[in-house]
Amino acid sequence: SGSNDQSGSRSVTNRGTAIAGPSVLTISFVGTFKVPSIAPGASVTFRWSTCRVVIYTAVADQTQVIAESDETNNTATRRNTCT
């Protein structure tokens, strides 16, 4: 979502070469989302309707349920403002 949206969104992308099994996406100040299996190169977007003036941190597969070739790219941070 853009910085002036009244809501938020975050996408989880499988950058690997194999199907990523189900996992959990945790977003600070928002909660958790169940992530379904994702095909290589595919994405799933999660949305929420409450806007907060905060820095959101999203962590995919926080409990490391999915074996990955790169375990270092599971976190994203974004500053958000509301109008």
Side-chain angles (χ1 to χ4, degrees), residues 2-3 8 16 24 26 34-35 44 49 52 64 69 74 78:
S3 61
V24 174
T26 304
K34 291 181 180 181
V35 180
V44 178
S49 60
R52 293 190 172 116
Q64 298 184 347
S69 60
N74 291 344
R78 175 190 289 171

Side-chain angles (χ1 to χ4, degrees), residues 18-70:
I19 293 174
S23 64
V24 174
L25 170 66
T26 304
I27 302 175
S28 60
F29 304 103
V30 177
T32 59
F33 298 88
K34 291 181 180 181
V35 180
S37 293
I38 304 174
S43 297
V44 178
T45 299
F46 299 90
R47 301 182 196 298
W48 59 92
S49 60
T50 304
C51 188
R52 293 190 172 116
V53 180
V54 296
I55 296 175
Y56 291 109
T57 299
V59 181
D61 192 30
Q62 185 169 15
T63 57
Q64 298 184 347
V65 173
I66 300 172
E68 303 174 61
S69 60
D70 184 356

